Amino acid sequence: MHHERWIFFLKDPRISLKAKGLMAVMDSLPEDCNHYLSTLMAICHARFDSKEAIKNALSELEQYGYIKTLELPGNRKSARKNHDYLWEIVENFKMEV
C-alpha cells in the first residue's frame, strides 16, 4: 500500500478499528496469499474474533471500497460455503470521505 493511501485509510472515520486492523493484516500478506474467510480466520486467530465479526469487518471494508468480493466458479449449491468467496484489495480506490 502506498504511504498516502495508508495515511488516508488509517484516518478514515467511516470504518471501525476492527476493519482497519483486518485491512492492515490483509495488506501485509504476500501477494500470492488468497483472502478466503478460512485463511483470514486462521491468520487472525479466530478464537478471539468470531467468524461473524470478521465477515462484518469485510462487509464494512467492501462498503467503503477498500476490498471487493469475488465469487469463485463452482457448484451453485455450495455457493454459500466460505471457500467459494475470495476478497481482493482494491488498489485504486477513491480517497474520498
Side-chain angles (χ1 to χ4, degrees), residues 18-70:
K18 185 176 291 277
K20 289 176 185 182
L22 183 60
M23 178 69 172
V25 167
M26 290 172 70
D27 197 50
S28 71
L29 297 173
E31 290 287 323
D32 63 345
C33 182
N34 293 317
H35 300 118
Y36 296 106
L37 182 57
S38 58
T39 305
L40 295 173
M41 288 180 65
I43 291 167
C44 295
H45 306 288
R47 65 183 180 270
F48 300 116
D49 291 303
S50 69
K51 179 181 359 182
E52 209 53 44
I54 293 172
K55 287 170 80 174
N56 289 341
L58 289 165
S59 293
E60 194 176 332
L61 290 169
E62 186 165 29
Q63 177 183 352
Y64 294 109
Y66 288 99
I67 63 173
K68 63 182 177 181
T69 304
L70 305 173

